[in-house]
């Protein structure tokens, strides 16, 4: 199910990281994902019950998943 957030709200929201970049709904791979993706650092913030959780601790960084030495 796609996240439906007001464009007005999206305009206000910004990445809590140092870049403070605007966020976009979904991910490049899955526009319907219940996440907000930072347009700068690529961190993904979960949206719980329609409420964006903009916490760095909760964020998922794409590069965190890429392991140089995979098991
Ligand atoms: Zn960011």
């Amino acid at each position: 199910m796609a996240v439906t957030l007001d464009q007005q709200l999206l305009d206000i929201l910004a990445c809590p990281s140092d870049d403070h970049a605007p966020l976009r709904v979904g991910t490049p791979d899955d526009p319907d994902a219940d996440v907000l993706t930072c347009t700068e650092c690529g961190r993904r913030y979960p949206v719980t019950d329609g409420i964006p959780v903009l916490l760095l601790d909760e964020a998922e960084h794409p590069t965190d998943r890429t392991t140089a030495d995979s098991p």
Side-chain angles (χ1 to χ4, degrees):
M1 197 168 80
V3 184
T4 50
L5 291 171
D6 290 340
Q7 185 58 47
Q8 222 173 357
L9 180 59
L10 276 175
D11 288 345
I12 299 169
L13 296 177
C15 179
S17 186
D18 289 340
D19 52 62
H20 300 301
L23 303 168
R24 55 174 290 172
V25 174
T27 71
D29 292 337
D30 184 5
D32 289 337
D34 284 340
V35 297
L36 294 178
T37 303
C38 175
T39 55
E40 187 65 34
C41 66
R43 281 187 177 85
R44 296 169 185 189
Y45 300 92
V47 180
T48 306
D49 294 333
I51 312 290
V53 183
L54 300 181
L55 299 172
L56 284 175
D57 285 347
E58 300 288 328
E60 191 179 297
H61 201 284
T63 53
D64 287 348
R65 288 192 160 187
T66 53
T67 46
D69 46 354
S70 48

